[in-house]
Amino acid sequence: QVFLCVTSTLNVAVFRDHFALEDLVGEMKKQSPALSFGPLQPDGKIAVQGSFPALRALREFLLLKAKSLSEEDKREGKSHQRLRRKLQEHRGPKEMRSSAGEAHGDKHVLVLDTDIYLYMKCFRPKTFQANGVVISGVTDGDITTVCVESAGGKAGAAHGLRARRAIENDSVEFQKILRKERIRFKEPSRGEKQSYRQLCDRLKARYPQVLVVPYDTHVDVVGTSADVFGFTEEVKK
């Protein structure tokens, strides 16, 4: 199995107040002809399949849409803000402080193939470690959603942006070179699982750049084509 594409579920319901979602999906299809789109669900979710670069381009398109809507909402809300400031002028100092909002940090969300995410966590752990940034991942089957959160201010935003770009660049690099082979158990008994895992542990010394992911019914082997081929041939013998 070569990592040529990934499937992601997008929730476009947030645009419902501004667009007819069917028209928005039509725009998305024109913007990203290399992607395959599933049917739009009543709750605003839609499955999209394609390469990571194409999905990233679609995400940037949607972010620009959201940003333009946010700026429009801000313009419409200026009169409300002026009214709120006038009301605040009549409050006491203590009440003013309690109503002041704290600065929120920046947040970036990326969608990765789970096998690539696990490989990066194992062999590029520093990609998910950055000063002033909290990086977390939530895995749902073949997809892992990575959240990059940084503190507010220009410095925090810069840290978050660098961390996001590092994750994106590494994921694209690994997408090009990694392959996955699945070794299924003949009889998924406890003894067979144990013997397969012991064998894989012994082979790891000869194939240090291979990631072995054990499951109840099989073992996934992730690495370069040469390493995966050599590793799986050794297991078969």
Side-chain angles (χ1 to χ4, degrees), residues 54-80:
L55 282 170
R56 185 166 67 246
L58 177 61
R59 184 198 63 191
E60 296 298 331
F61 167 74
L62 292 175
L63 286 176
L64 287 175
K65 280 276 188 188
K67 183 178 180 180
S68 65
L69 293 176
S70 176
E71 291 173 351
E72 182 180 333
D73 289 342
K74 286 180 181 179
R75 288 194 297 269
E76 292 177 353
K78 280 184 178 179
S79 60
H80 297 288

Short mmCIF file of all heavy atoms in Angstrom, two decimals, residues 54-80:
data_model
loop_
_atom_site.label_atom_id
_atom_site.label_comp_id
_atom_site.label_asym_id
_atom_site.label_seq_id
_atom_site.Cartn_x
_atom_site.Cartn_y
_atom_site.Cartn_z
N ALA A 54 -3.33 18.48 -2.29
CA ALA A 54 -4.62 18.96 -2.79
C ALA A 54 -5.57 19.28 -1.65
O ALA A 54 -6.31 20.28 -1.69
CB ALA A 54 -5.24 17.92 -3.72
N LEU A 55 -5.57 18.45 -0.60
CA LEU A 55 -6.41 18.72 0.56
C LEU A 55 -5.96 19.99 1.27
O LEU A 55 -6.77 20.76 1.77
CB LEU A 55 -6.38 17.53 1.52
CG LEU A 55 -7.23 16.32 1.12
CD1 LEU A 55 -6.92 15.13 2.02
CD2 LEU A 55 -8.70 16.66 1.19
N ARG A 56 -4.64 20.19 1.32
CA ARG A 56 -4.13 21.39 1.97
C ARG A 56 -4.56 22.64 1.20
O ARG A 56 -4.93 23.66 1.80
CB ARG A 56 -2.61 21.31 2.07
CG ARG A 56 -2.00 22.48 2.85
CD ARG A 56 -0.56 22.24 3.24
NE ARG A 56 0.31 22.18 2.07
CZ ARG A 56 0.95 21.11 1.67
NH1 ARG A 56 0.82 19.97 2.32
NH2 ARG A 56 1.74 21.13 0.62
N ALA A 57 -4.53 22.56 -0.13
CA ALA A 57 -4.97 23.70 -0.94
C ALA A 57 -6.45 23.99 -0.72
O ALA A 57 -6.86 25.15 -0.64
CB ALA A 57 -4.69 23.42 -2.42
N LEU A 58 -7.26 22.94 -0.60
CA LEU A 58 -8.68 23.12 -0.33
C LEU A 58 -8.89 23.76 1.04
O LEU A 58 -9.74 24.64 1.21
CB LEU A 58 -9.42 21.78 -0.40
CG LEU A 58 -10.92 21.81 -0.06
CD1 LEU A 58 -11.67 22.71 -1.04
CD2 LEU A 58 -11.50 20.41 -0.07
N ARG A 59 -8.11 23.32 2.00
CA ARG A 59 -8.22 23.90 3.34
C ARG A 59 -7.91 25.39 3.33
O ARG A 59 -8.60 26.20 3.95
CB ARG A 59 -7.26 23.18 4.29
CG ARG A 59 -7.38 23.67 5.74
CD ARG A 59 -6.16 23.29 6.54
NE ARG A 59 -4.98 23.94 6.00
CZ ARG A 59 -3.74 23.66 6.34
NH1 ARG A 59 -3.51 22.69 7.18
NH2 ARG A 59 -2.72 24.32 5.83
N GLU A 60 -6.84 25.77 2.58
CA GLU A 60 -6.50 27.19 2.49
C GLU A 60 -7.62 27.98 1.84
O GLU A 60 -7.92 29.11 2.24
CB GLU A 60 -5.20 27.35 1.69
CG GLU A 60 -3.97 26.72 2.34
CD GLU A 60 -3.64 27.35 3.68
OE1 GLU A 60 -3.94 28.55 3.87
OE2 GLU A 60 -3.08 26.65 4.54
N PHE A 61 -8.27 27.40 0.84
CA PHE A 61 -9.41 28.05 0.18
C PHE A 61 -10.54 28.30 1.17
O PHE A 61 -11.12 29.39 1.22
CB PHE A 61 -9.89 27.17 -0.97
CG PHE A 61 -11.22 27.55 -1.54
CD1 PHE A 61 -11.36 28.68 -2.34
CD2 PHE A 61 -12.35 26.78 -1.27
CE1 PHE A 61 -12.60 29.03 -2.87
CE2 PHE A 61 -13.59 27.12 -1.80
CZ PHE A 61 -13.71 28.25 -2.60
N LEU A 62 -10.85 27.27 2.00
CA LEU A 62 -11.93 27.42 2.98
C LEU A 62 -11.55 28.40 4.08
O LEU A 62 -12.40 29.14 4.58
CB LEU A 62 -12.27 26.05 3.57
CG LEU A 62 -12.93 25.07 2.60
CD1 LEU A 62 -13.11 23.71 3.26
CD2 LEU A 62 -14.27 25.59 2.12
N LEU A 63 -10.26 28.42 4.46
CA LEU A 63 -9.83 29.38 5.48
C LEU A 63 -9.98 30.81 4.98
O LEU A 63 -10.37 31.70 5.74
CB LEU A 63 -8.37 29.10 5.87
CG LEU A 63 -8.13 27.86 6.74
CD1 LEU A 63 -6.64 27.64 6.96
CD2 LEU A 63 -8.83 28.00 8.09
N LEU A 64 -9.66 31.04 3.72
CA LEU A 64 -9.84 32.37 3.15
C LEU A 64 -11.32 32.76 3.13
O LEU A 64 -11.67 33.91 3.40
CB LEU A 64 -9.26 32.42 1.74
CG LEU A 64 -7.73 32.42 1.64
CD1 LEU A 64 -7.30 32.34 0.18
CD2 LEU A 64 -7.15 33.68 2.29
N LYS A 65 -12.17 31.80 2.81
CA LYS A 65 -13.62 32.04 2.85
C LYS A 65 -14.06 32.45 4.24
O LYS A 65 -14.79 33.43 4.43
CB LYS A 65 -14.36 30.77 2.42
CG LYS A 65 -14.44 30.53 0.94
CD LYS A 65 -15.60 31.30 0.34
CE LYS A 65 -15.81 30.91 -1.11
NZ LYS A 65 -16.81 31.78 -1.75
N ALA A 66 -13.60 31.67 5.23
CA ALA A 66 -13.98 31.94 6.62
C ALA A 66 -13.46 33.30 7.08
O ALA A 66 -14.14 34.04 7.79
CB ALA A 66 -13.47 30.84 7.52
N LYS A 67 -12.22 33.63 6.65
CA LYS A 67 -11.64 34.91 7.04
C LYS A 67 -12.42 36.08 6.47
O LYS A 67 -12.69 37.07 7.15
CB LYS A 67 -10.19 34.98 6.58
CG LYS A 67 -9.46 36.25 7.02
CD LYS A 67 -8.01 36.23 6.57
CE LYS A 67 -7.31 37.51 7.01
NZ LYS A 67 -5.89 37.52 6.57
N SER A 68 -12.82 35.97 5.20
CA SER A 68 -13.59 37.05 4.58
C SER A 68 -14.94 37.23 5.28
O SER A 68 -15.41 38.36 5.48
CB SER A 68 -13.80 36.76 3.09
OG SER A 68 -14.61 35.61 2.91
N LEU A 69 -15.55 36.13 5.69
CA LEU A 69 -16.82 36.22 6.40
C LEU A 69 -16.63 36.85 7.77
O LEU A 69 -17.46 37.62 8.24
CB LEU A 69 -17.44 34.83 6.54
CG LEU A 69 -17.89 34.17 5.24
CD1 LEU A 69 -18.39 32.76 5.52
CD2 LEU A 69 -18.98 34.99 4.57
N SER A 70 -15.50 36.48 8.41
CA SER A 70 -15.22 37.05 9.74
C SER A 70 -15.04 38.56 9.65
O SER A 70 -15.54 39.32 10.49
CB SER A 70 -13.97 36.40 10.31
OG SER A 70 -13.62 36.98 11.55
N GLU A 71 -14.32 39.03 8.60
CA GLU A 71 -14.13 40.47 8.44
C GLU A 71 -15.45 41.17 8.14
O GLU A 71 -15.69 42.28 8.62
CB GLU A 71 -13.13 40.71 7.30
CG GLU A 71 -11.71 40.26 7.66
CD GLU A 71 -10.77 40.36 6.47
OE1 GLU A 71 -11.27 40.61 5.34
OE2 GLU A 71 -9.56 40.19 6.67
N GLU A 72 -16.31 40.51 7.39
CA GLU A 72 -17.63 41.08 7.09
C GLU A 72 -18.46 41.20 8.37
O GLU A 72 -19.12 42.21 8.60
CB GLU A 72 -18.35 40.20 6.07
CG GLU A 72 -19.71 40.72 5.66
CD GLU A 72 -20.40 39.81 4.66
OE1 GLU A 72 -19.68 39.11 3.93
OE2 GLU A 72 -21.65 39.80 4.62
N ASP A 73 -18.39 40.15 9.20
CA ASP A 73 -19.13 40.19 10.46
C ASP A 73 -18.61 41.29 11.36
O ASP A 73 -19.37 41.94 12.08
CB ASP A 73 -19.01 38.84 11.17
CG ASP A 73 -19.81 37.75 10.45
OD1 ASP A 73 -20.68 38.10 9.64
OD2 ASP A 73 -19.53 36.55 10.69
N LYS A 74 -17.27 41.50 11.32
CA LYS A 74 -16.69 42.56 12.15
C LYS A 74 -17.19 43.93 11.71
O LYS A 74 -17.49 44.79 12.54
CB LYS A 74 -15.16 42.51 12.06
CG LYS A 74 -14.54 41.35 12.82
CD LYS A 74 -13.02 41.37 12.67
CE LYS A 74 -12.40 40.20 13.42
NZ LYS A 74 -10.92 40.18 13.27
N ARG A 75 -17.27 44.13 10.39
CA ARG A 75 -17.77 45.42 9.90
C ARG A 75 -19.21 45.65 10.33
O ARG A 75 -19.59 46.74 10.74
CB ARG A 75 -17.65 45.48 8.37
CG ARG A 75 -16.23 45.62 7.86
CD ARG A 75 -16.22 46.00 6.38
NE ARG A 75 -16.82 44.98 5.56
CZ ARG A 75 -16.12 43.98 5.01
NH1 ARG A 75 -14.83 43.89 5.22
NH2 ARG A 75 -16.73 43.08 4.26
N GLU A 76 -20.01 44.58 10.25
CA GLU A 76 -21.42 44.71 10.64
C GLU A 76 -21.57 44.92 12.14
O GLU A 76 -22.55 45.50 12.59
CB GLU A 76 -22.18 43.46 10.21
CG GLU A 76 -22.30 43.30 8.70
CD GLU A 76 -23.00 42.01 8.32
OE1 GLU A 76 -23.26 41.20 9.23
OE2 GLU A 76 -23.29 41.83 7.12
N GLY A 77 -20.57 44.46 12.88
CA GLY A 77 -20.69 44.54 14.34
C GLY A 77 -20.08 45.78 14.95
O GLY A 77 -20.07 45.92 16.17
N LYS A 78 -19.55 46.71 14.10
CA LYS A 78 -18.89 47.89 14.67
C LYS A 78 -19.85 48.74 15.49
O LYS A 78 -19.50 49.28 16.53
CB LYS A 78 -18.27 48.73 13.55
CG LYS A 78 -16.95 48.18 13.06
CD LYS A 78 -16.33 49.10 12.01
CE LYS A 78 -14.98 48.56 11.56
NZ LYS A 78 -14.36 49.43 10.52
N SER A 79 -21.10 48.88 15.01
CA SER A 79 -22.06 49.70 15.75
C SER A 79 -22.33 49.10 17.11
O SER A 79 -22.46 49.82 18.11
CB SER A 79 -23.36 49.83 14.96
OG SER A 79 -23.93 48.55 14.74
N HIS A 80 -22.39 47.75 17.18
CA HIS A 80 -22.60 47.09 18.47
C HIS A 80 -21.40 47.30 19.38
O HIS A 80 -21.55 47.48 20.59
CB HIS A 80 -22.84 45.60 18.24
CG HIS A 80 -24.07 45.31 17.46
ND1 HIS A 80 -25.34 45.45 17.95
CD2 HIS A 80 -24.23 44.88 16.16
CE1 HIS A 80 -26.23 45.13 17.03
NE2 HIS A 80 -25.58 44.78 15.93
#
